[in-house]
Amino acid sequence: MASNVQEIRPKPSDSEKITINLGFVDLGQVDLMVQEGFYSNRTDFIRTAIRNQLERHADVVKQSAARKSLDLGLRNYSRDDLEAAQRAGEMLHINVLGLASIAQDVTPELARATIASVSVLGALHASPAVKSALADRMR
């Protein structure tokens, strides 16, 4: 019997896990809000609080992102993108607020030959070898 099962690459996460330390009183107040049904769990409360603060300061974030020439959101760099930059004799300056992703088939040599600097506020997804090759170019 022939198998029709295809291997699917796992979907990359659309979020990053962080750890925070809260005082016992603050944590107790969060737990009380959860217990009273205002939030489904601690994570829901914290995520909502962060989003509210970001919304409150949205104008400042937009102005700062524009001033620093940051690409906002998700920015993918494929092997084809880097090879095109190499053919054109250009060096890329990666400036992202969100997620910058360098394709898994990009070699460390190609990354070093085409990426002059990397500044990511958020997360950078790239192979460990590429991250290592660009370590001296990350701000």
Side-chain angles (χ1 to χ4, degrees):
M1 178 182 216
S3 173
N4 64 352
V5 176
Q6 295 180 7
E7 185 175 327
I8 299 174
R9 280 189 285 163
K11 180 183 174 216
S13 174
D14 63 349
S15 63
E16 187 82 12
K17 188 174 200 171
I18 64 169
T19 302
I20 62 169
N21 295 316
L22 288 177
F24 297 120
V25 173
D26 291 338
L27 185 58
Q29 290 175 345
V30 170
D31 286 344
L32 181 61
M33 297 294 286
V34 170
Q35 190 178 55
E36 292 296 317
F38 290 97
Y39 300 93
S40 59
N41 54 43
R42 289 175 174 176
T43 300
D44 183 33
F45 175 90
I46 293 166
R47 189 179 298 119
T48 300
I50 290 170
R51 286 181 180 150
N52 287 342
Q53 285 299 309
L54 291 172
E55 183 178 316
R56 185 173 166 200
H57 299 288
D59 289 340
V60 173
V61 170
K62 285 179 187 174
Q63 291 169 3
S64 184
R67 186 177 66 252
K68 295 178 183 225
S69 301
L70 297 170
D71 289 335
L72 184 61
L74 172 64
R75 181 67 168 95
N76 292 306
Y77 295 89
S78 69
R79 182 183 187 109
D80 289 343
D81 293 334
L82 299 186
E83 287 173 344
Q86 188 174 39
R87 284 190 302 275
E90 297 175 354
M91 294 292 285
L92 301 176
H93 296 274
I94 297 175
N95 296 304
V96 175
L97 189 158
L99 172 65
S101 178
I102 300 173
Q104 292 298 306
D105 62 349
V106 171
T107 64
E109 296 78 20
L110 179 59
R112 282 199 63 81
T114 57
I115 299 173
S117 64
V118 179
S119 178
V120 178
L121 299 171
L124 171 64
H125 287 185
S127 71
V130 166
K131 284 183 178 181
S132 178
L134 296 174
D136 64 331
R137 299 175 186 191
M138 292 188 193
R139 297 183 261 146

